[in-house]
């Protein structure tokens, strides 16, 4: 499965992490597109097994000039692979 990310932010760096959600609610990072600068884009191709996943930006305060936790600000979305 190919994932494409485009950073439409005017100034903030973002990333796209693909997370496999475990039964206990924790997750494993399956792959990611790191440090996508404002206006840039990237892609990654991954083989995903059936299960629950999330797409997320995992930038935390102090990383890439950020002052906020991007995940905590709601930068994540669930999806299911059947």
């Amino acid at each position: 499965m190919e994932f494409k990310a485009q950073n439409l932010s005017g100034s903030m760096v973002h990333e796209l992490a693909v997370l496999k959600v475990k039964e206990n609610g924790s997750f494993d990072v399956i792959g990611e597109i790191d440090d996508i600068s404002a206006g840039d884009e990237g892609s990654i191709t991954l083989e995903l097994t059936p299960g629950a996943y999330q797409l997320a930006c995992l930038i935390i305060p102090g990383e890439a000039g950020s002052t906020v936790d991007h995940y905590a600000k709601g930068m994540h979305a669930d999806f299911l692979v059947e």
Side-chain angles (χ1 to χ4, degrees), residues 45-64:
T45 301
L46 301 168
E47 295 288 330
L48 301 181
T49 59
Y53 291 84
Q54 278 191 351
L55 298 176
C57 183
L58 300 178
I59 302 263
I60 58 172
E63 182 181 359

Side-chain angles (χ1 to χ4, degrees), residues 9-68:
S9 168
S11 61
M12 293 172 50
V13 172
H14 291 286
E15 66 183 19
L16 178 70
V18 179
L19 313 174
K20 173 89 183 235
V21 180
K22 297 179 182 181
E23 288 185 25
N24 67 4
S26 65
F27 57 81
D28 288 326
V29 177
I30 303 301
E32 61 187 312
I33 306 167
D34 284 324
D35 298 335
I36 308 166
S37 298
D40 283 346
E41 57 187 42
S43 66
I44 188 171
T45 301
L46 301 168
E47 295 288 330
L48 301 181
T49 59
Y53 291 84
Q54 278 191 351
L55 298 176
C57 183
L58 300 178
I59 302 263
I60 58 172
E63 182 181 359
S66 181
T67 59
V68 297

